[in-house]
């Protein structure tokens, strides 16, 4: 009880300002960014899975940056000045694909900040169950003259992650209530129950299509407009419309959608 009370007390006074003094002894822009943002997360963030205080891993850990000592969730921090684009550069392509199958694959913290005001603009978490091979983009191998000639990196495509895959702590400098962060995390935990990456990929693709409709209520006819796009993604599937209906039924059963009759659905999240 004491831990929970203290955690809530701290989070009631979340500060969005970065401690500029911490970067004073560094000349590299990337080092400054890392020191500023990692220190802020260490001081202000909490575990979106259980609400406990997170801790920082020791330096040079190959994957994650933070962990929750209570529930075991791990988090990798990606930070950038101003805004993220449609993708995020990550490490080796082959290693990333291997990580997707791992039980310790971390969720991602995304943090953007105003470098002039030293203020966090946006801070969100993308749960690990939103990461599937379809969102991992293979980069070109490094040139033969490069120090790591032939190395193949990857990008994480943000455009293919449904809106519910970004759970905000801070959005446009406005701090979200802790209860809302924890609730939003729970809403999509059903994705983690889909162990097969292909099955999870289908669900996420249909969720993304729903997002692109841009409205709370829609019907099957509107969903069928994405048939060609899904055919290109799954060329071996000859029953795309059947698969769309199947995924909508699954999302209904998980409480993500409500069936309102005659082929119509309503987004509940």
């Amino acid at each position: 009880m004491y831990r929970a009370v203290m955690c809530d007390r701290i989070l009631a006074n979340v500060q969005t300002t970065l401690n500029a003094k911490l970067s004073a002894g560094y000349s590299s822009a990337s080092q400054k960014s890392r020191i500023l943002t990692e220190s802020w997360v260490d001081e202000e963030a909490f575990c979106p899975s259980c609400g406990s205080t997170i801790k920082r891993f020791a330096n040079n850990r190959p994957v994650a940056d933070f962990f929750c000592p209570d529930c075991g969730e791990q988090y990798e921090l990606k930070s950038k000045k101003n805004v993220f684009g449609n993708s995020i550069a990550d490490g080796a392509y082959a290693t990333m694909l291997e990580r997707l199958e791992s039980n310790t694959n971390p969720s991602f913290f995304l943090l953007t900040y105003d470098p002039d005001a030293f203020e966090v603009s946006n801070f969100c978490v993308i749960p690990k169950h939103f990461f599937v091979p379809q969102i991992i983009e293979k980069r070109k191998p490094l040139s033969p003259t490069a120090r790591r000639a032939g190395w193949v990196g990857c990008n994480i495509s943000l455009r293919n992650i449904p809106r519910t895959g970004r759970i905000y702590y801070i959005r446009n400098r406005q701090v979200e209530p802790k209860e809302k962060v924890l609730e939003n995390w729970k809403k999509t935990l059903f994705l983690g129950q889909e162990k097969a990456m292909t099955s999870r990929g289908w669900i996420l693709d249909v969720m993304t299509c729903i997002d692109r409709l841009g409205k709370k209520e829609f019907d099957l006819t509107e969903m069928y407009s994405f048939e060609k796009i899904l055919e290109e993604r799954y060329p071996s599937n000859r029953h795309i419309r059947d698969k769309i209906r199947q995924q909508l039924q699954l999302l209904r059963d998980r409480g993500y959608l409500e069936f309102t009759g005659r082929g119509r659905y309503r987004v509940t999240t």
Side-chain angles (χ1 to χ4, degrees):
M1 177 64 72
Y2 176 78
R3 181 184 180 88
V5 170
M6 284 300 294
C7 189
D8 285 338
R9 187 179 302 162
I10 293 171
L11 292 166
N13 299 294
V14 171
Q15 300 295 316
T16 60
T17 304
L18 300 170
N19 186 352
K21 295 180 181 179
L22 295 176
S23 64
Y26 296 87
S27 57
S28 166
S30 61
Q31 285 183 322
K32 288 183 178 181
S33 177
R34 179 178 60 80
I35 292 297
L36 288 171
T37 57
E38 285 188 358
S39 298
W40 183 89
V41 172
D42 193 32
E43 291 291 328
E44 303 291 346
F46 60 91
C47 176
S49 175
C50 70
S52 298
T53 302
I54 60 173
K55 294 186 179 297
R56 199 187 316 197
F57 275 118
N59 290 336
N60 301 319
R61 187 174 176 86
V63 179
D65 300 305
F66 298 90
F67 71 99
C68 176
D70 287 353
C71 71
E73 289 288 342
Q74 299 184 18
Y75 305 94
E76 181 177 349
L77 174 63
K78 297 289 186 180
S79 58
K80 191 174 182 180
K81 297 177 182 179
N82 301 315
V83 297
F84 280 103
N86 289 325
S87 64
I88 304 172
D90 203 66
Y93 178 72
T95 302
M96 185 61 177
L97 293 183
E98 291 175 3
R99 280 171 52 184
L100 297 184
E101 301 286 352
S102 170
N103 292 330
T104 57
N105 183 40
S107 299
F108 271 56
F109 282 142
L110 301 186
L111 185 154
T112 61
Y113 64 98
D114 182 335
D116 298 319
F118 285 94
E119 185 176 13
V120 176
S121 306
N122 295 281
F123 179 57
C124 71
V125 60
I126 300 177
K128 61 186 179 185
H129 44 260
F130 280 87
F131 289 84
V132 292
Q134 290 94 319
I135 72 167
I136 309 303
E137 301 173 338
K138 188 176 184 179
R139 298 208 302 264
K140 293 181 179 180
L142 294 182
S143 68
T145 57
R147 183 170 59 87
R148 293 188 293 171
W151 184 84
V152 179
C154 71
N155 294 323
I156 298 170
S157 174
L158 296 179
R159 69 173 70 87
N160 292 323
I161 296 177
R163 61 173 180 79
T164 47
R166 299 194 201 192
I167 301 170
Y168 282 89
Y169 291 66
I170 299 172
R171 191 167 193 167
N172 298 326
R173 295 191 170 94
Q174 297 299 311
V175 179
E176 297 285 355
K178 177 182 177 182
E179 293 75 15
K180 184 176 180 181
V181 175
L182 297 176
E183 180 184 354
N184 287 339
W185 176 275
K186 292 177 181 178
K187 285 179 179 178
T188 59
L189 285 178
F190 67 87
L191 288 167
Q193 299 170 8
E194 297 290 334
K195 301 304 181 183
M197 284 293 173
T198 302
S199 299
R200 197 189 308 172
W202 258 108
I203 300 170
L204 292 171
D205 281 334
V206 169
M207 290 169 68
T208 301
C209 291
I210 293 171
D211 284 354
R212 290 174 181 172
L213 290 175
K215 52 187 179 179
K216 297 284 285 185
E217 295 191 28
F218 61 91
D219 60 30
L220 274 175
T221 301
E222 291 173 297
M223 287 301 297
Y224 290 158
S225 67
F226 298 103
E227 185 175 7
K228 293 295 184 185
I229 294 174
L230 294 172
E231 279 180 350
E232 292 176 1
R233 190 176 286 273
Y234 301 96
S236 62
N237 193 303
R238 297 292 182 266
H239 307 282
I240 298 297
R241 292 194 175 196
D242 292 342
K243 197 69 176 179
I244 290 173
R245 291 195 298 271
Q246 180 189 63
Q247 302 314 303
L248 292 176
Q249 290 168 8
L250 187 150
L251 290 171
R252 177 203 61 191
D253 295 342
R254 297 295 188 271
Y256 189 86
L257 296 176
E258 178 186 354
F259 180 66
T260 59
R262 296 186 178 183
R264 295 195 62 81
Y265 292 86
R266 179 185 299 118
V267 181
T268 61
T269 58

